[in-house]
Amino acid sequence: MNPDEIYTPSKSLRKRVLRRLVPYRQQRLLNFKIDRPIVSFSFDDCPKSAVKNGLHKLDKEGWKSTVYIASKLLGITNHLGLHMDELDVTDAHNSGHEIGGHSYSHMDLTEMPLDCAIEDVLKNRDIIRSLKIPRCRTFAYPYGQTSAEVKKHLSKEYDGLRGIISGPMIGRVDLNQIQSTPLFTGKCFEEVLHQINGLSGQNAWLTLFTHDVRESPSEWGCTPAEIDTVIAAVKASGAEVLTVSDAITKLKANSL
Ligand SMILES: [Zn+2]
């Protein structure tokens, strides 16, 4: 795909039906009981603007995020702006952020033969390993798109697989399709605040995902001021902030 081309997953009736059904297939359920809610921030792809305006803001709070890298995008510029390069990835890792897998070519894994999809995911894993970064423990499906077959294969490789279904996970998570709420500018933004504000005292895990963080962001990103608002809301909620993999470790230690 041309990097300037914006891909949108198919909206055909068949695909929409499959998308409704896939969360119920190949589940890896974990029931948990925690006394304090958990929030995980994730940055997908990953645009360079997320470093200064996202990761560094979290660093100031003593919080760490998960950065989902699709290594074919390293150093390129597309509708999300300039992307992180190899040095940005190693810097993020060295400062304690989790580096997660997001496939090599950032293609919709449900639109390619399964063996090609797995090969693409493993190619990305190997490139990240070549940067002297430990094995990725978690993965985010490009465009949130997955299938029962993809889930089944990737569940052997990763402790957790993140999708893009919005909402907090209360007392239970499907580690093969971890929910994640868009931290996007515009009309979605009130919803993310609503979900964070509802976390206080809940036995819940909420993951957030975004892309570029800059003034005039894409519709898949947010502004630096919006990140500040979210950070303040998370603090007020009393939630603990953990990377996706650390959250999984904690939930497993508190499983029912
Ligand atoms: Zn992505």
Side-chain angles (χ1 to χ4, degrees), residues 5-255:
E5 209 175 292
I6 300 176
Y7 174 81
T8 312
S10 166
K11 292 191 174 75
S12 71
L13 178 61
R14 179 179 161 273
K15 278 287 186 179
R16 280 185 285 144
V17 171
L18 285 174
R19 229 168 266 143
R20 287 275 182 98
L21 296 177
V22 78
Y24 302 100
R25 303 190 61 199
Q26 289 295 331
Q27 292 181 322
R28 187 171 22 156
L29 298 175
L30 176 69
N31 293 302
F32 59 84
K33 177 76 184 84
I34 47 176
D35 297 331
R36 189 181 169 196
I38 299 172
V39 169
S40 300
F41 287 82
S42 53
F43 297 92
D44 289 11
D45 288 10
C46 180
K48 205 173 176 94
S49 60
V51 177
K52 176 167 164 254
N53 298 323
L55 307 192
H56 291 178
K57 282 179 185 284
L58 298 182
D59 288 337
K60 283 194 190 130
E61 305 299 331
W63 297 347
K64 298 300 166 191
S65 66
T66 302
V67 182
Y68 287 108
I69 293 292
S71 43
K72 192 178 179 186
L73 302 180
L74 291 175
I76 70 142
T77 298
N78 66 9
H79 57 288
L80 304 174
L82 174 65
H83 282 60
M84 290 168 68
D85 57 28
E86 283 85 349
L87 189 60
D88 295 317
V89 178
T90 52
D91 281 351
H93 165 69
N94 290 336
S95 59
H97 295 277
E98 175 189 8
I99 304 300
H102 198 37
S103 84
Y104 168 69
S105 58
H106 201 271
M107 287 169 67
D108 181 340
L109 300 179
T110 66
E111 293 288 349
M112 55 208 286
L114 181 64
D115 55 344
C116 297
I118 302 304
E119 192 180 318
D120 195 81
V121 169
L122 297 182
K123 181 175 179 178
N124 190 54
R125 176 196 67 179
D126 293 344
I127 291 172
I128 293 173
R129 287 295 296 270
S130 75
L131 300 176
K132 309 256 183 307
I133 291 171
R135 180 184 77 86
C136 296
R137 286 183 55 206
T138 67
F139 178 89
Y141 301 115
Y143 311 100
Q145 300 303 300
T146 189
S147 65
E149 294 73 25
V150 168
K151 288 166 113 178
K152 184 179 173 188
H153 278 77
L154 296 191
S155 65
K156 296 173 202 154
E157 185 72 26
Y158 297 98
D159 298 344
L161 304 165
R162 206 216 67 205
I164 57 166
I165 295 172
S166 178
M169 294 159 283
I170 299 171
R172 185 160 90 158
V173 53
D174 174 8
L175 294 173
N176 282 351
Q177 198 160 2
I178 297 166
Q179 292 177 206
S180 199
T181 297
L183 197 183
F184 293 177
T185 198
K187 63 182 192 306
C188 292
F189 191 68
E190 287 304 314
E191 176 58 23
V192 69
L193 288 182
H194 174 72
Q195 291 185 15
I196 295 166
N197 292 339
L199 284 177
S200 292
Q202 292 286 322
N203 173 29
W205 180 29
L206 177 68
T207 84
L208 311 174
F209 77 103
T210 193
H211 296 85
D212 50 323
V213 185
R214 53 184 173 162
E215 305 299 341
S216 307
S218 73
E219 62 185 279
W220 300 276
C222 65
T223 65
E226 285 167 336
I227 283 268
D228 290 339
T229 302
V230 163
I231 287 172
V234 171
K235 273 194 205 170
S237 77
E240 181 176 17
V241 175
L242 296 173
T243 64
V244 174
S245 64
D246 286 348
I248 292 171
T249 300
K250 177 138 194 177
L251 296 181
K252 283 184 173 170
N254 290 276
S255 62

